[in-house]
Amino acid sequence: MSTEKPVRRVTVPQIAGRKGGAPIVSLTSYHAHTAAIVDRHADFILVGDSLGMVMHGMETTLGVSMELMIMHGRAVVRGTRRALIVVDMPFGSYEESPGIAFRNAARIMKETQCGAVKLEGGARMAETIRFLTERGVPVMAHIGLTPQSSHVMGGFKTQGRDSDTWDAHVEDARAVAGAGAFAVVVEGVVEPLARRITEAVEIPTIGIGASPDCDGQILVLEDMLGLGERPPRFVKVYGRLGEEIERAVSTYADEVRARNFPGEDHVYRQE
């Protein structure tokens, strides 16, 4: 009989209970093989709509469809055993009404088997967050710099540079927490504002380009691995995989052109 203990996934209540405790570790992932690696180290993995830019070459996240999110969400769930998997709701899938948001969130959860969804917006999305959570859909909120609103914001701009706007951001955080969100991503805000938001709410704050005073951090995996051309300024690059891939592909190409086919000693030959 096997004595190996079954691996249990991190749950939504466990993440919610980490407020003020050990920092929450998170990264994005979009495919099974990277998810399997991240799974051993992260508390939750976000299948972010950033996949539109990172994986599919889009200029923004606005072109990402439900089908893309579900396809990548399935892959990440298949590749993992431990981390809570959170899937982004793409632009246009939740803003129109709470009912439409529920229909699309339920589809994402059914078809990917993820543990929660994430949506962008503060006080304006509180009614929708309450509608979803009351019907069994765990929601991670997202405030501050919200990429799906980049056209309205005039681009990817740091939020909170003008302290007169701080109260609105804090109220956004309070609104999503009061509506039932179990955690909130705080993106691209100045450090004092991130600290104030973290102090103002009883749910964990997950910073991205925010502050070490948040309850955790999330980064885009490809950014911290050096795969993007220009990672955001706040990202610490922990590897240079782009350079390694370039070197490996270049070496492979040179060998093939020299008819030194890799693996040629192991090809099938006619006896």
Side-chain angles (χ1 to χ4, degrees), residues 84-105:
L84 173 70
I85 309 302
V86 182
V87 176
D88 261 343
M89 298 192 69
F91 178 72
S93 68
Y94 61 92
E95 297 91 341
E96 186 173 351
S97 71
I100 289 175
F102 175 77
R103 184 182 311 135
N104 288 323

Side-chain angles (χ1 to χ4, degrees), residues 17 88 92 105 109 132 143 147 155 160 181 217 230 248-249 252 261 268:
D88 261 343
M109 295 193 71
L132 296 183
I143 64 170
Q217 178 172 266
R230 288 180 296 176
V249 172
Y252 166 78
F261 287 9
Y268 292 107

Side-chain angles (χ1 to χ4, degrees), residues 87-179:
V87 176
D88 261 343
M89 298 192 69
F91 178 72
S93 68
Y94 61 92
E95 297 91 341
E96 186 173 351
S97 71
I100 289 175
F102 175 77
R103 184 182 311 135
N104 288 323
R107 181 185 171 198
I108 288 172
M109 295 193 71
K110 284 181 178 181
E111 296 189 27
T112 67
Q113 297 297 298
C114 69
V117 299
K118 181 174 76 64
L119 56 79
E120 296 182 6
R124 65 184 175 84
M125 295 310 304
E127 180 185 358
T128 295
I129 292 171
R130 181 173 290 107
F131 191 91
L132 296 183
T133 57
E134 288 177 348
R135 287 159 179 77
V137 177
V139 177
M140 179 176 287
H142 184 152
I143 64 170
L145 194 167
T146 48
Q148 292 178 8
S149 303
S150 60
H151 289 318
V152 175
M153 291 180 167
F156 295 90
K157 296 182 177 180
T158 301
Q159 302 296 296
R161 291 189 183 279
D162 182 353
S163 60
D164 289 342
T165 67
W166 287 14
D167 286 347
H169 290 292
V170 171
E171 286 309 308
D172 276 341
R174 287 177 172 152
V176 298

Side-chain angles (χ1 to χ4, degrees), residues 44-86:
F44 77 89
I45 296 173
L46 175 66
V47 185
D49 61 358
S50 50
L51 63 85
M53 302 167 73
V54 174
M55 297 292 295
H56 297 276
M58 299 178 184
E59 291 188 4
T60 71
T61 63
L62 300 183
V64 175
S65 66
M66 284 281 291
E67 287 69 27
L68 269 183
M69 294 309 307
I70 289 170
M71 178 180 70
H72 287 279
R74 283 173 175 165
V76 170
V77 171
R78 289 191 197 108
T80 57
R81 301 172 63 202
R82 176 188 165 275
L84 173 70
I85 309 302
V86 182

